[in-house]
Amino acid sequence: MTTIDTATITVELPDAFDPRWNRLPGIQVDGRRITIDPAEYFFRFESSTWLVADWDLVKAQLLDVDETTESAVEQLALDFIKNHGESSPDAARVLATAYGVYSYLFREEHLAGLGLPQVTADHLRMLREAATLMALNKIELDGHISNVGPCWFFPAATSVVFDLDDETGGMLDEVYHGGWFNEHRRIESIKAHAALGGRLVHGCQSVPDQTGGVVAPYGASMANFRDDLAEFKSVWIEQVYAHRVTAAE
């Protein structure tokens, strides 16, 4: 593990998180309050700054803006980040921003038209919580992955915290990084992720294979990201699964 000296991260969010997050090392959930010890929580923690933009500003100035033949939605998001993004050492701000982003993206009004009857409101809550914590993961412009926590391995982490089987965990992973399989929601995702300084990328292929996701800055090297990702995942996935609670427990 690589880590830097840093203070404990504490944030109070609008809604209570599932207390079973306490099964993972370095994280303590007490209702709406989340406390993270980076030295215990992260597998790799090399950066304590994140690129963020004000979520209220994103809602007011970006979410309702339509792309044109001259400016694609990705360009709109990139321009917004250039104009309003800032580097912040405040991990609590990152988590609070992420919770706003994912409360918007995984809102229940989408369920009726999703075409995935197996996805429930409770699943959306799980997605909101896990994705919020994933916002602390970080990739640099050169493609190097500087921060990796257990939620990088989405199906493994959700199986530990929410007692999900592999099939359900994989399904949620697909919903998380697949833009809900709909272009309208993909566009929503691109705009909303401007608040977290980039766009959501993942390392999986056609099916979830624990290769994870991260909000990457525009311009980051995807080739280096892929190579870095391939080197570290297997040992850390095993460490996440080691905290799985069995029926006997």
Side-chain angles (χ1 to χ4, degrees), residues 48-115:
S48 57
T49 61
W50 294 264
L51 183 60
V52 291
D54 184 79
W55 173 235
D56 286 336
L57 197 63
V58 172
K59 289 190 290 183
Q61 297 189 13
L62 184 59
L63 292 187
D64 292 330
V65 177
D66 294 326
E67 69 178 357
T68 68
T69 56
E70 301 297 326
S71 185
V73 63
E74 291 85 356
Q75 186 64 50
L76 292 172
L78 177 59
D79 290 344
F80 187 92
I81 293 166
K82 286 181 177 178
N83 291 330
H84 303 291
E86 56 183 329
S87 180
S88 174
D90 186 354
R93 177 184 177 187
V94 177
L95 291 170
T97 300
Y99 192 71
V101 168
Y102 293 113
S103 294
Y104 167 74
L105 291 177
F106 298 120
R107 59 197 189 273
E108 292 184 19
E109 70 181 66
H110 281 323
L111 285 175
L114 182 60

Side-chain angles (χ1 to χ4, degrees), residues 228-248:
D228 194 12
L229 194 54
E231 292 185 4
F232 66 65
K233 72 173 189 175
S234 59
V235 173
W236 291 344
I237 289 172
E238 290 179 8
Q239 291 182 37
V240 176
Y241 273 126
H243 300 284
R244 205 171 193 172
V245 175
T246 65

